[in-house]
Amino acid sequence: MAEKKTLWIKDLGGMIQRQDMDKIPDNMSPFLMNISLDKPGTWRKRKGSALLDSTAAGSGTLGMIDYAATDATTKLHAYRGTTLYTYTPSSYTSIDATDITGTSKKVQSVNYLGRVYWVSPEDNLRYESGSTTAQVLDNTGTQAGIKGNTIAVSQRTLFVGGSPDLGRDRVYYTSFDLTTFLGTHNFGPDEATWLFSSTTNFFSVETPVTAMISYGMNGLVYVFTKYSLYSFNMAYEDKATGVNKELDIGCAGPRAVTICNGILMWMDPEGRIWGWKGEGSASLMSYHIEDDSNGDAIINKISATWIPEVAAGSLGSKVYFSIGDVTLWGVSYTNCVLVGQISPDASDIQWSVYSYPLKPTIFTNAFLSGRKVLL
């Protein structure tokens, strides 16, 4: 067998599909499948992936989060089927088998005050309590019953957005007593209490909320709708003053946004990928892999039914977007992930495509064996 060789191309620039084939620069390619761009100028096969664990057939993994618990341990939680699990270095342990309905499709979770809170469009807001779970209560001590399609933590505040039962254009937020809760983690009887009135502790946006994320040095929560991006600043008592429309660019879904190299990156409902540094205009990051004239580029080929399911993640200077199955120039590719390598000064991004044995539906970062990985 001939010895495998690594090809070297001067200043390899990743994929470009916007131009005709005969006009593509010599250092770029119309399509790179499973090609690593880790080292500039080098064209080599990407590294593989390893199976961490598997779930019961048919149930799937609905959500994951890695967090530092109040007992100083680091845990990985996974929401599989109808059960919340904790993952140890070798296996999963069930925490609660009744807190997630079988119809849940997207379970969104955050680390807040040393424990995990999560919500889905089908399930009420819940939190981890020792070896079991509990539903969040309202300020009267009754079940709040808040559902939502996204959740975020910013400015020591918990936000839930897109509530199907209270208004999809609303973002609800907590007002915990931080003098009691912050630092000591000695939670009292109100440990899971929303201190709010359902008629006052929320702000509204123009259309249903699609995603939320905490971002930037100012630590604000950023709220996406289908068409716009808003920031919300808890420093203002007047909610009308605290809400600011930043961009007229929306987000495809609750998992279609991530942060890479300090850049907020997301996919809009048309499949285009954007980057923003917290001020000024957003940059179109997918320009080279779009085709406005005949629609033959990979961005144009993402299924409209898959776009709301897109998952984004990042590790180091790489950003990942799971785009499902794609047919490009008559050839079908399954379980595709767009991978962008961002330059050190964030002025350029080089794209390639990875394929996996299974279709990624959620990304999360975790520390395994002391090393940060992307799951």
Side-chain angles (χ1 to χ4, degrees):
M1 179 181 293
E3 181 182 355
K4 293 183 179 179
K5 295 182 178 180
T6 297
L7 297 177
W8 181 85
I9 298 176
K10 184 179 180 180
D11 299 325
L12 177 62
M15 296 194 313
I16 183 168
Q17 298 177 344
R18 179 171 285 275
Q19 294 175 280
D20 295 333
M21 296 289 189
D22 59 348
K23 297 178 181 178
I24 293 177
D26 292 338
N27 68 325
M28 302 188 78
S29 172
F31 190 56
L32 295 174
M33 172 59 78
N34 292 324
I35 298 297
S36 171
L37 300 174
D38 288 349
K39 294 186 177 181
T42 302
W43 185 336
R44 66 176 64 191
K45 187 176 181 180
R46 71 171 176 90
K47 296 179 181 179
S49 56
L51 177 64
L52 181 65
D53 207 327
S54 58
T55 185
S59 60
T61 300
L62 306 173
M64 290 189 297
I65 187 173
D66 184 71
Y67 77 107
T70 56
D71 60 3
T73 62
T74 299
K75 297 181 179 180
L76 175 64
H77 273 0
Y79 309 88
R80 310 189 304 164
T82 60
T83 306
L84 172 64
Y85 291 85
T86 292
Y87 182 79
T88 63
S90 59
S91 62
Y92 278 110
T93 301
S94 171
I95 293 181
D96 196 322
T98 60
D99 61 333
I100 303 170
T101 65
T103 58
S104 292
K105 300 299 182 184
K106 296 183 181 70
V107 179
Q108 299 293 103
S109 52
V110 292
N111 181 16
Y112 183 53
L113 299 178
R115 59 181 67 197
V116 171
Y117 288 75
W118 67 94
V119 72
S120 82
E122 293 82 13
D123 299 306
N124 293 327
L125 179 65
R126 299 183 69 90
Y127 68 103
E128 177 194 14
S129 179
S131 59
T132 185
T133 66
Q135 182 172 314
V136 171
L137 307 178
D138 64 15
N139 59 337
T140 66
T142 60
Q143 302 293 349
I146 293 178
K147 299 177 174 65
N149 62 6
T150 183
I151 189 171
V153 171
S154 178
Q155 295 178 298
R156 301 176 180 177
T157 303
L158 184 69
F159 298 84
V160 175
S163 175
D165 50 347
L166 297 177
R168 293 185 180 274
D169 60 345
R170 292 183 178 184
V171 177
Y172 287 84
Y173 56 90
T174 64
S175 295
F176 281 121
D177 180 359
L178 297 177
T179 60
T180 301
F181 290 82
L182 187 62
T184 64
H185 298 301
N186 182 20
F187 298 108
D190 292 333
E191 60 182 359
T193 298
W194 282 97
L195 302 180
F196 81 104
S197 164
S198 62
T199 60
T200 58
N201 273 48
F202 72 90
F203 62 93
S204 295
V205 288
E206 294 174 348
T207 57
V209 176
T210 57
M212 288 196 302
I213 192 169
S214 175
Y215 169 68
M217 295 295 293
N218 52 15
L220 302 185
V221 63
Y222 287 85
V223 179
F224 283 97
T225 67
K226 187 176 181 180
Y227 306 107
S228 304
L229 170 62
Y230 297 82
S231 62
F232 183 61
N233 193 341
M234 288 294 293
Y236 294 95
E237 294 184 7
D238 179 6
K239 293 191 294 295
T241 304
V243 178
N244 182 52
K245 180 187 283 189
E246 301 285 353
L247 300 168
D248 285 319
I249 305 171
C251 185
R255 293 178 177 167
V257 58
T258 189
I259 299 169
C260 184
N261 265 11
I263 303 173
L264 184 65
M265 298 189 67
W266 70 96
M267 180 176 285
D268 72 18
E270 295 181 350
R272 311 180 90 186
I273 297 172
W274 297 86
W276 189 57
K277 295 183 178 181
E279 60 183 9
S281 301
S283 299
L284 181 59
M285 309 298 283
S286 55
Y287 179 83
H288 281 170
I289 50 176
E290 299 178 20
D291 188 338
D292 296 330
S293 60
N294 55 26
D296 280 341
I298 194 166
I299 286 293
N300 309 97
K301 298 298 184 179
I302 303 174
S303 169
T305 59
W306 177 257
I307 286 179
E309 309 299 321
V310 164
S314 67
L315 183 65
S317 59
K318 285 184 182 178
V319 64
Y320 299 75
F321 287 89
S322 175
I323 59 173
D325 301 336
V326 175
T327 299
L328 195 63
W329 301 311
V331 181
S332 296
Y333 303 93
T334 58
N335 310 328
C336 294
V337 176
L338 278 172
V339 182
Q341 180 80 39
I342 300 178
S343 63
D345 62 357
S347 63
D348 183 43
I349 184 167
Q350 299 176 354
W351 292 103
S352 60
V353 181
Y354 290 180
S355 63
Y356 291 92
L358 300 173
K359 191 179 276 87
T361 57
I362 185 172
F363 291 106
T364 193
N365 294 114
F367 283 91
L368 297 179
S369 301
R371 184 167 63 95
K372 188 177 183 180
V373 299
L374 182 67
L375 299 178

